[in-house]
Amino acid sequence: MHCPLPGLARAALLAVGLLLAAPASAQLGLGGEPLNTGPRGLTEIPPASRPLPIGQAASQPLPAAGLPGGPPSVTAPTALQPALPPDPATALRPIVFGSQMFTGRFGTEPFAGFNPDYQVAIGDRLTVRMWGAFTFDAALVVDAQGNLFLPNVGPVAVAGVRNADLSRQLEAQVKRTFRSNVGVYATLEAAQPVKVYVTGFVRAPGLYGGLSSNSVLYYLDRAGGIDPDRGSYLQVDVLRAGKRRTTINLYRFLLEGQIEPLQLQDGDTIVALPRKHVVQVSGDVLNPYVFEFDRPSIGSSELLAVARPRPGATHLSIVRSIGTQRRSEYHALSDAANVTIQDGDEISVTSDKYPGTILVRIEGAHLGERTLVLPYGAQLKDAVARLKPAPQAQVEALQLFRRSVAQRQKELIEASLRSLETYALTARSATSEEAALRNREAQQILEFIDRARNVQPRGQVILAQGSQSGELLMEDGDIIRLPERSNLVLVSGEVTFPNALAYDNRAAVDDYVARSGGYTQGADRAKVLVVHQDGSVGEARNAALSPGDEIMVLPKIETKSVELTRGITQIIYQIAVAAKVLFNL
């Protein structure tokens, strides 16, 4: 008799079937390891807690760490490395100082090294070796009464003995039975596994397992770290049987590298207390964080000692909320000792400086210094007076390049590219065939836009046509270039053989184009530019050629839209003038 399965049972069987049919890579993490979830999301299960391979008995010893077939060593990097903390200078929101500690790096590295101050506890595993008249080599566990039982010696009390004194303690007991010719060596093989409560203002309160030798940072990191919006980094209490055993200041560990040594026991509780008083710091500092303090008001010198202003910083501004009002203060860093910072203040450190001198770079056919130091407000004629042109220099074609002009040219080209991009992506089509055609055309235009955005304008200031160019104010970072005299004329763009030709005072633009193989089929004969050596640009039909000029033949743009053609042509013209680079669609 056929009995249909209930809906829940059918769903369970279907889920099991899908799990069995899924590829192994879907159930495993990177490197074929099983995955687990924790306070930070997907992580690897530690090697110690991974299930044994099928067919391997639980009592079968695993290969040693680092050996072929064995688990990775403790210090070996895993496939899933914790992410680096965000940069406070570029983060979208203020970052609390101390939160950079808890990214998973403490919680993934248990401490199993030699700690001389560690006190042996019940459940610890010790390696004991005896040699000479009596030999013995075994790993023993400290029993419930805190003793180790040694053959022919009997129980030896070791609970509470310092790790550094362990061998001496055992040797003293062995000497009572074997007075000579017996050597003793003992060492802690593995600290006692413990479970510790982590609570308070942490991201994921809970009960976490580890070793008694692990630090408080290990368990805090396992719990996701201190909650940066609510928890305190200045006061983390460790409780045993409800009584405070110690208080840990995490800022002391961050700034001084010091943390209280502590041996945890089963049932200990780590409590992150509420956040105290905070001040936000930004601007010209090496540590632009939100800092926590244990007092509602502090001196600004104490705050700046941890924020660390940059060498050029001169002032600090304070924005303070008083009731419903926000008030501002402004102080020089030299007066910081007399300024008080209060809870909730927003501090910004600035560098208020005015330029006293500027640097101007000299390039080209120049025989003097390559960098000029000029007073702020100097004019072009002041820089020209200090030039030492080489004999082959063409001083009348002096060139000036400026960063601010290059930035403005970049902004103008970017504005034209955005308009072209908007038009290409929003054009309407009446039929599906027209839509497919526009889609291909839009792809071409977008590729053109991507290439055009990578062009860097030169930022040249044209001096030849200015009657008062000598009075032009110089800016810091300007570049003056003395071009060398040239007897060549460059021909580039839509010609068959772009080339450099000897100057001929009888030849016109068409003659140079003809000597370069003539126009290509994609040339726009109405858009031929002549770029003179001084940077000025003119159309071929109106320009008089001189030695050192460049003839640029622009491409012909053909699209289905007059507006699109005009936009692309304008951008090509802008790039040709600003960067002396020719583009085609």
Side-chain angles (χ1 to χ4, degrees):
M1 178 177 178
H2 177 69
C3 178
L5 289 171
L8 184 59
R10 287 202 305 270
L13 288 176
L14 179 60
V16 172
L18 290 175
L19 181 61
L20 293 176
S25 59
Q27 304 173 30
L28 300 178
L30 297 176
E33 299 295 354
L35 298 178
N36 188 16
T37 56
R40 295 177 188 81
L42 205 59
T43 56
E44 279 194 318
I45 296 177
S49 59
R50 293 174 187 155
L52 292 174
I54 297 175
Q56 181 171 327
S59 60
Q60 181 179 352
L62 289 172
L67 295 179
S73 60
V74 174
T75 57
T78 60
L80 296 178
Q81 288 284 2
L84 291 174
D87 184 354
T90 58
L92 298 179
R93 55 170 292 181
I95 297 178
V96 178
F97 185 68
S99 61
Q100 69 270 29
M101 288 195 297
F102 300 113
T103 59
R105 298 180 184 274
F106 289 112
T108 56
E109 297 291 340
F111 180 78
F114 177 76
N115 180 5
D117 296 324
Y118 177 83
Q119 294 181 353
V120 177
I122 296 172
D124 284 353
R125 188 179 180 90
L126 306 179
T127 298
V128 180
R129 293 183 175 91
M130 301 170 62
W131 67 93
F134 178 78
T135 59
F136 177 75
D137 188 348
L140 305 177
V141 177
V142 181
D143 61 23
Q145 298 183 21
N147 297 326
L148 285 180
F149 190 87
L150 299 180
N152 297 334
V153 176
V156 179
V158 292
V161 176
R162 291 176 66 249
N163 195 9
D165 302 330
L166 183 59
S167 291
R168 288 192 294 270
Q169 172 74 6
L170 290 180
E171 185 177 10
Q173 296 298 321
V174 170
K175 292 294 184 183
R176 294 182 178 181
T177 303
F178 303 100
R179 296 188 178 276
S180 62
N181 297 331
V182 175
V184 180
Y185 174 79
T187 183
L188 181 69
E189 183 176 283
Q192 177 190 15
V194 296
K195 291 186 181 296
V196 176
Y197 293 99
V198 184
T199 185
F201 294 93
V202 294
R203 291 180 182 270
L207 180 64
Y208 293 92
L211 300 176
S212 57
S213 58
N214 287 337
S215 72
V216 172
L217 295 174
Y218 172 85
Y219 292 98
L220 287 173
D221 206 13
R222 290 286 304 277
I226 306 291
D227 187 335
D229 297 324
R230 303 181 301 134
S232 174
Y233 293 87
L234 300 180
Q235 188 173 1
V236 177
D237 289 348
V238 179
L239 308 180
R240 180 167 297 169
K243 297 181 180 179
R244 180 188 301 168
R245 188 171 180 215
T246 187
T247 297
I248 295 177
N249 184 341
L250 297 179
Y251 275 16
R252 188 171 174 230
F253 172 72
L254 268 177
L255 298 173
E256 303 174 13
Q258 299 183 12
I259 189 169
E260 291 77 1
L262 188 64
Q263 184 174 336
L264 296 171
Q265 295 183 4
D266 254 335
D268 284 353
T269 303
I270 300 173
V271 184
L273 272 65
R275 188 165 77 172
K276 299 183 182 298
H277 312 283
V278 293
V279 176
Q280 179 182 339
V281 183
S282 61
D284 287 341
V285 292
L286 298 177
N287 297 320
Y289 287 99
V290 176
F291 293 95
E292 181 184 4
F293 293 94
D294 57 359
R295 306 184 302 281
S297 62
I298 59 171
S300 61
S301 298
E302 183 178 351
L303 174 65
L304 296 176
V306 291
R308 299 185 60 191
R310 296 183 184 275
T314 58
H315 292 77
L316 64 87
S317 60
I318 304 174
V319 178
R320 179 172 298 157
S321 297
I322 304 177
T324 58
Q325 298 181 350
R326 286 173 63 88
R327 297 182 180 178
S328 300
E329 300 179 10
Y330 193 70
H331 304 277
L333 290 183
S334 57
D335 299 332
N338 303 320
V339 179
T340 300
I341 307 297
Q342 298 182 7
D343 182 22
D345 285 355
E346 299 176 9
I347 311 299
S348 178
V349 179
T350 57
S351 300
D352 298 345
K353 297 181 179 181
Y354 59 90
T357 58
I358 60 175
L359 294 179
V360 177
R361 183 70 180 167
I362 310 298
E363 296 181 354
H366 173 65
L367 300 179
E369 297 177 344
R370 291 291 174 172
T371 300
L372 301 180
V373 180
L374 301 174
Y376 181 69
Q379 299 176 336
L380 178 62
K381 60 184 179 183
D382 300 325
V384 172
R386 296 177 57 179
L387 296 181
K388 295 180 180 179
Q392 68 273 24
Q394 190 169 348
V395 181
E396 60 274 13
L398 190 71
Q399 300 171 356
L400 175 64
F401 300 94
R402 179 165 291 175
R403 283 196 298 253
S404 59
V405 175
Q407 182 178 357
R408 182 56 182 163
Q409 289 175 337
K410 184 73 172 178
E411 292 172 354
L412 293 175
I413 294 174
E414 180 62 28
S416 300
L417 290 173
R418 283 198 299 267
S419 299
L420 177 62
E421 188 175 33
T422 301
Y423 186 85
L425 295 176
T426 58
R428 297 183 178 181
S429 304
T431 64
S432 58
E433 290 80 4
E434 184 180 356
L437 185 63
R438 286 192 179 278
N439 183 45
R440 290 193 295 270
E441 187 178 68
Q443 290 296 330
Q444 271 189 307
I445 294 172
L446 293 178
E447 292 176 2
F448 167 80
I449 291 173
D450 289 339
R451 288 185 289 124
R453 280 190 169 128
N454 293 326
V455 173
Q456 296 299 327
R458 299 184 302 162
Q460 184 171 2
V461 179
I462 308 301
L463 303 174
Q465 300 174 0
S467 58
Q468 297 180 340
S469 58
E471 299 178 3
L472 182 71
L473 289 176
M474 302 299 292
E475 293 184 6
D476 188 47
D478 281 353
I479 298 176
I480 296 176
R481 186 174 183 276
L482 280 169
E484 296 182 359
R485 297 186 181 275
S486 173
N487 292 323
L488 299 177
V489 174
L490 301 178
V491 183
S492 60
E494 295 298 324
V495 294
T496 305
F497 302 108
N499 212 336
L501 305 174
Y503 173 72
D504 184 355
N505 58 2
R506 297 168 299 177
V509 171
D510 287 339
D511 298 326
Y512 286 105
V513 173
R515 296 173 186 177
S516 300
Y519 296 100
T520 64
Q521 293 182 351
D524 187 350
R525 303 192 180 197
K527 295 292 183 182
V528 180
L529 304 179
V530 175
V531 181
H532 299 292
Q533 203 169 16
D534 57 14
S536 59
V537 180
E539 293 189 356
R541 58 177 176 267
N542 300 323
L545 289 174
S546 301
D549 288 350
E550 181 176 358
I551 300 171
M552 304 179 72
V553 181
L554 273 60
K556 183 189 299 182
I557 304 301
E558 296 179 350
T559 64
K560 300 295 183 182
S561 169
V562 176
E563 185 68 25
L564 203 57
T565 302
R566 184 185 301 115
I568 296 175
T569 303
Q570 177 187 357
I571 292 172
I572 292 176
Y573 188 90
Q574 286 178 320
I575 293 175
V577 173
K580 293 185 70 175
V581 176
L582 280 181
F583 266 69
N584 201 348
L585 185 59

